[in-house]
Amino acid sequence: QVQLVESGGGLVQSGGSLRLSCATSSSTFSTYDMAWFRQAAGEEREFVAAITQSGDNTFSADSVNGRFVISRDNAKNTVYLQMNSLKPEDTGVYYCAVKGYGSRFTQYSYHSWGQGTQVTVSS
């Protein structure tokens, strides 16, 4: 298991921006594909964005494409999620996770989840 710590969440008005960070002390961070998921109250956890080990390839959900950008800094053992043009429907707890085997678009392919960071977007 890899320990992950998310930060950067908060309350923001619709149209605003936030930058989430997910840090780990793991020395093998650069060997992991990573992703961000989110979970709204009463809903299942859903895929937001993913990034490969080197950062050369990224993937985003249709609902955030063009607004959210995932990136990573392997020297800092950190993955980021830049969220722009936020909408009330983006509200939820955001989690980062390490990819294991399987599809990168489902939570069941991931392990070593962080504790999550709350994002609330007011209208």
Side-chain angles (χ1 to χ4, degrees), residues 57-109:
N57 294 293
T58 62
F59 309 84
S60 299
D62 289 343
S63 58
V64 306
N65 202 23
R67 300 188 297 122
F68 291 10
V69 178
I70 188 171
S71 63
R72 67 190 296 162
D73 185 338
N74 285 343
K76 296 182 177 180
N77 291 346
T78 302
V79 61
Y80 303 98
L81 185 67
Q82 178 66 45
M83 305 187 296
N84 301 321
S85 302
L86 282 160
K87 304 175 181 180
E89 51 263 44
D90 295 318
T91 295
V93 179
Y94 283 69
Y95 300 89
C96 63
V98 176
K99 185 179 179 298
Y101 297 102
S103 168
R104 66 178 76 252
F105 302 111
T106 173
Q107 61 173 315
Y108 303 108
S109 299

